[in-house]
Amino acid sequence: MTTLRGRITGGLGRATFRAPGRRTEAGIALLVVLAWLRGVAPPLVQLLDSGRPGFNTRTDLMPVTGRLLGDALTLAVVGLAAVLAGYGLRRGRPDRWWGLLVALAPLAVVASAGWANHQRPGPVTLALPLVAVAVWVCRPGRRVLATIGVCGALTALGSMLLAAARPELALLTGAAAGAKTVPGGLLAGPYAHSNVLGIVLALSLPFVFALRTASSRWTALAVMLVAVAWTGSRTSQVAVLAVLATRAMLAVAARRGWRPRRSWVVLVSLPVAAGLALTVLTPLVTTDPAGFTERGRIWRELLAHWRERPLLGHGPEFFDREPGLAEALGGAFNHGHNLLVHLLVVGGLLVAAAVVALLGLCWRRAVAVARRGRIVPMLYLVAFAWVSWLEASHVPTTLAGHLSWLPLCLVLRGEPDRNSEDQGVPEVVDDPA
């Protein structure tokens, strides 16, 4: 017969995650949900309170309730990440600390660039490193990857429902839509622009393939594809096509019995390499200011600013603090519209090198698990590379970065379930030769 003392002790043990496995994995999944809510809820409150702001404006219309909600969610992420990190460290010393240092290096460099440029760090400066540590010491499984896919599908569905109920809030029309033509307007959902929604969906879509049942995968995929098409975001649409083409290619390769030798590694890595090559070369070879929908002007101006501080850049608040930048760029933008350009102007060569090292380790890990038929990490790297070609709003130092820093940590450290494979791709056995 269980004593009262035994029940209390057992309850406290469960409350403090003393039972490993699913509870810590649920904690990391909750971190994903909280970070997702931090990016969705405050903008939605602003829309419902003040309506959609004018196109290309930096006017702060966030009501007090939205600001308080955002701060509360940020503190919740910080608190939960600290609990999970503390629990994991108490259980034992994790292995491969050098990998964690590589994961933390880009965030550390950006924070250092802020200090060097007299910019005060906010709570997010603490939140993202704590989340990285929590992921590293808890090493969650594929259920967390599926959580990102669910959040993406809910974002797509919620945006379309908002468009049906309040089209003046969820759709972009007129000057805001630019030259893009979609009947009724471009789907933006709770975000400031339809391109942002497109990026969120493109980076979330690879994780749909981690869902366990075919019905949930196909339903989520269909909803997200319709929403991406509705956004009119061409960069995101190209990224989604690259993801779907890569998945089809990997499925064909596995079913035909192609073994994971060196040529197979080249095959699965080619889509990522192509996207990253475009990311690096496009802004460097573009000389026309009107090229790539006026992005040529943005890149030329930002690269000129980077040359003023090539090693450490201008810090994460550069776009908010630099006087006259909006006029020089041709709009009130808060990112460089290219991953390389954005990293250089914010953190200089140091952060660019740190991100290259992180992506290199993630690629190595993605190849290793793809050999066993687990393709979600590789699909995410494909999406990340192709979105980064013409956009960079997914790599901020705010919790909106939950679709960049957090998935990269999961790719690098996550432990896929041993008894289940990613759906639609048979397990590939290493060639003994």
Side-chain angles (χ1 to χ4, degrees):
M1 183 174 180
T2 306
T3 63
L4 178 60
R5 180 179 178 180
R7 292 178 180 177
I8 294 175
T9 303
L12 289 175
R14 288 187 295 270
T16 56
F17 300 97
R18 192 165 293 175
R22 291 191 176 183
R23 289 185 175 84
T24 54
E25 192 169 69
I28 300 297
L30 182 56
L31 279 179
V32 172
V33 173
L34 289 174
W36 169 68
L37 288 174
R38 178 62 181 87
V40 171
L44 182 59
V45 171
Q46 176 183 314
L47 279 182
L48 296 175
D49 179 82
S50 308
R52 180 163 290 280
F55 174 63
N56 207 5
T57 179
R58 298 294 289 273
T59 304
D60 188 3
L61 301 177
M62 182 65 67
V64 175
T65 52
R67 202 177 307 277
L68 291 175
L69 178 60
D71 292 342
L73 288 169
T74 299
L75 292 175
V77 170
V78 171
L80 181 57
V83 170
L84 290 169
Y87 165 70
L89 291 172
R90 192 184 67 176
R91 285 180 59 194
R93 183 177 179 180
D95 59 345
R96 297 193 299 165
W97 273 106
W98 58 271
L100 176 60
L101 295 179
V102 172
L104 293 175
L107 301 173
V109 174
V110 170
S112 300
W115 280 106
N117 288 279
H118 310 289
Q119 299 169 10
R120 294 177 56 189
V124 175
T125 306
L126 179 63
L128 291 177
L130 276 176
V131 169
V133 173
V135 169
W136 201 264
V137 298
C138 294
R139 201 168 191 182
R142 59 173 284 162
R143 294 183 185 87
V144 175
L145 302 182
T147 301
I148 301 177
V150 171
C151 289
L154 290 176
T155 302
L157 180 60
S159 297
M160 290 191 289
L161 291 177
L162 182 62
R166 300 286 301 275
E168 75 281 6
L169 297 182
L171 300 177
L172 295 183
T173 57
K180 303 173 185 177
T181 57
V182 174
L186 303 177
L187 182 66
Y191 299 104
H193 198 276
S194 58
N195 285 349
V196 179
L197 176 60
I199 292 169
V200 169
L201 298 180
L203 293 176
S204 303
L205 186 137
F207 300 104
V208 165
F209 295 107
L211 297 174
R212 289 188 175 277
T213 64
S215 59
S216 60
R217 289 194 300 274
W218 284 110
T219 301
L221 186 62
V223 170
M224 295 175 73
L225 289 178
V226 171
V228 169
W230 197 350
T231 64
S233 174
R234 290 165 290 193
T235 302
S236 302
Q237 291 165 358
V238 170
V240 166
L241 289 176
V243 168
L244 297 179
T246 303
R247 183 185 182 277
M249 178 185 67
L250 292 175
V252 170
R255 286 169 181 156
R256 291 189 176 181
W258 296 350
R259 294 294 186 256
R261 292 180 174 177
R262 186 172 302 174
S263 58
W264 180 89
V265 173
V266 172
L267 178 69
V268 300
S269 304
L270 187 61
V272 179
L276 292 179
L278 282 174
T279 300
V280 173
L281 295 177
T282 302
L284 299 181
V285 302
T286 300
T287 57
D288 182 7
F292 296 96
T293 321
E294 305 293 334
R295 284 175 171 82
R297 174 182 179 180
I298 297 172
W299 297 335
R300 185 173 63 177
E301 182 68 24
L302 291 179
L303 288 175
H305 280 282
W306 162 66
R307 294 185 187 99
E308 299 170 359
R309 299 179 64 90
L311 193 61
L312 204 55
H314 294 270
E317 297 181 11
F318 169 74
F319 290 91
D320 295 321
R321 291 192 170 194
E322 184 66 21
L325 186 62
E327 182 179 355
L329 298 181
F333 305 116
N334 59 4
H335 64 94
H337 285 83
N338 172 274
L339 177 65
L340 176 64
V341 173
H342 185 81
L343 292 176
L344 289 176
V345 76
V346 168
L349 290 170
L350 288 180
V351 77
V355 170
V356 168
L358 175 59
L359 290 177
L361 283 184
C362 288
W363 165 81
R364 183 178 178 182
R365 171 68 176 170
V367 168
V369 297
R371 290 176 183 271
R372 303 196 296 271
R374 300 178 177 116
I375 61 170
V376 169
M378 185 61 73
L379 294 182
Y380 172 74
L381 292 183
V382 172
F384 184 89
W386 283 87
V387 162
S388 300
W389 174 32
L390 299 176
E391 299 290 349
S393 62
H394 54 295
V395 287
T397 52
T398 67
L399 282 179
H402 79 282
L403 285 175
S404 54
W405 308 120
L406 203 161
L408 288 174
C409 289
L410 289 171
V411 168
L412 187 58
R413 184 59 173 171
E415 179 65 29
D417 295 343
R418 290 184 173 86
N419 296 325
S420 61
E421 305 296 329
D422 290 317
Q423 301 296 325
V425 180
E427 183 174 1
V428 179
V429 179
D430 288 345
D431 192 331

